[in-house]
């Protein structure tokens, strides 16, 4: 989704904005965005990439799906799940190998035998102008992670299990650490 995302909201009393809604503001970095809704009780929200063109439109929840219901004065939304306080996640940092496509690097994660997303996973976020990418996983206690370039490169290798992560981690040059390596 393009940054910053837009928020469209409505409620059962037909209080709504024209789609695609309003641009959200960055909230301290780390891919959090904020928007304050005034004068609307129990709004439902849809996050989108500021387009109405069906061919390029991205939104959460998906097209023709009801918005996420906001029932408290402040709520945090991650992957279509609303929380009453900022959720804690596990951030996975990945140093992209030089022979991988920068914009297509993805993280795939699962828990035990529970498939949580479709392959090849979701795009990782750029941290700076270097090769570090990151992604924060929410709502999964013991994720096993894999990285891929959306094509034919993958870590761990094909038919190998994902790496179990239980805290913030960094992966560089085939080494896992709990601190940012040099």
């Amino acid at each position: 989704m393009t940054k910053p995302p837009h928020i469209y909201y409505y409620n059962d009393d037909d209080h709504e904005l024209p789609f695609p809604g309003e641009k959200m503001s960055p909230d301290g970095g780390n891919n959090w965005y904020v928007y304050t809704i005034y004068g609307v009780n129990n709004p439902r929200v849809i996050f989108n990439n500021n387009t109405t063109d069906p061919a390029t439109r991205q939104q959460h929840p998906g097209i023709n799906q009801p918005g996420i219901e906001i029932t408290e004065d402040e709520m945090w939304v991650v992957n279509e799940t609303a929380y009453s306080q900022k959720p804690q996640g596990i951030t996975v940092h990945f140093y992209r190998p030089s022979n991988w496509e920068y914009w297509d690097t993805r993280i795939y994660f699962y828990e035990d035998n529970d498939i949580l997303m479709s392959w090849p996973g979701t795009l990782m976020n750029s941290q700076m102008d270097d090769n570090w990418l990151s992604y924060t996983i929410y709502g999964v206690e013991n994720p096993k992670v894999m990285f891929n370039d959306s094509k034919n490169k993958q870590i761990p290798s094909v038919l190998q299990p994902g790496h179990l992560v239980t805290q913030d981690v960094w992966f560089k040059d085939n080494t896992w650490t709990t601190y940012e390596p040099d």
Side-chain angles (χ1 to χ4, degrees), residues 128-181:
M128 294 296 216
D129 293 326
D130 59 15
N131 285 344
W132 281 109
L133 303 169
S134 67
Y135 186 83
T136 302
I137 301 169
Y138 296 96
V140 182
E141 291 184 27
N142 296 301
K144 294 179 182 172
V145 301
M146 306 174 98
F147 307 103
N148 69 80
D149 69 350
S150 302
K151 295 177 183 140
N152 60 1
K153 297 178 183 95
Q154 174 182 319
I155 297 172
S157 301
V158 176
L159 300 178
Q160 298 296 311
H163 181 80
L164 175 65
V165 295
T166 57
Q167 60 185 324
D168 292 356
V169 293
W170 283 258
F171 181 85
K172 181 179 181 184
D173 299 330
N174 291 319
T175 302
W176 290 94
T177 62
T178 56
Y179 55 88
E180 183 175 357

Side-chain angles (χ1 to χ4, degrees), residues 14-31:
D14 289 332
H15 289 96
E16 64 182 79
L17 289 173
F19 196 86
E22 298 288 334
K23 181 167 76 171
M24 299 182 74
S25 300
D27 185 30
N30 296 321
N31 291 312

Side-chain angles (χ1 to χ4, degrees), residues 60-77:
H60 299 286
I63 295 173
N64 298 321
Q65 299 295 314
I68 300 162
E69 188 173 12
I70 304 300
T71 58
E72 299 182 31
D73 289 341
E74 179 175 299
M75 295 195 75
W76 301 77
V77 179

Side-chain angles (χ1 to χ4, degrees), residues 29-81:
N30 296 321
N31 291 312
W32 286 108
Y33 292 86
V34 63
Y35 184 84
T36 302
I37 300 171
Y38 295 101
V40 178
N41 294 321
N42 297 323
R44 290 188 174 271
V45 299
I46 295 175
F47 303 99
N48 66 84
N49 65 337
N50 190 30
T51 184
T52 56
D53 178 3
T56 58
R57 186 161 126 196
Q58 297 176 16
Q59 72 176 53
H60 299 286
I63 295 173
N64 298 321
Q65 299 295 314
I68 300 162
E69 188 173 12
I70 304 300
T71 58
E72 299 182 31
D73 289 341
E74 179 175 299
M75 295 195 75
W76 301 77
V77 179
V78 177
N79 299 327
E80 301 180 26
T81 300

Side-chain angles (χ1 to χ4, degrees), residues 83-146:
Y83 300 89
S84 59
Q85 54 187 299
K86 186 176 182 180
Q88 298 300 308
I90 298 170
T91 301
V92 178
H93 305 270
F94 177 73
Y95 194 83
R96 181 188 59 82
S98 60
N99 62 343
W100 283 35
E101 288 290 327
Y102 185 75
W103 297 110
D104 291 333
T105 301
R106 295 177 178 266
I107 184 170
Y108 173 87
F109 57 90
Y110 63 96
E111 187 170 38
D112 295 325
N113 294 323
D114 292 335
I115 304 300
L116 304 173
M117 61 178 38
S118 61
W119 184 263
T122 190
L123 289 171
M124 298 191 73
N125 303 307
S126 173
Q127 290 182 289
M128 294 296 216
D129 293 326
D130 59 15
N131 285 344
W132 281 109
L133 303 169
S134 67
Y135 186 83
T136 302
I137 301 169
Y138 296 96
V140 182
E141 291 184 27
N142 296 301
K144 294 179 182 172
V145 301
M146 306 174 98

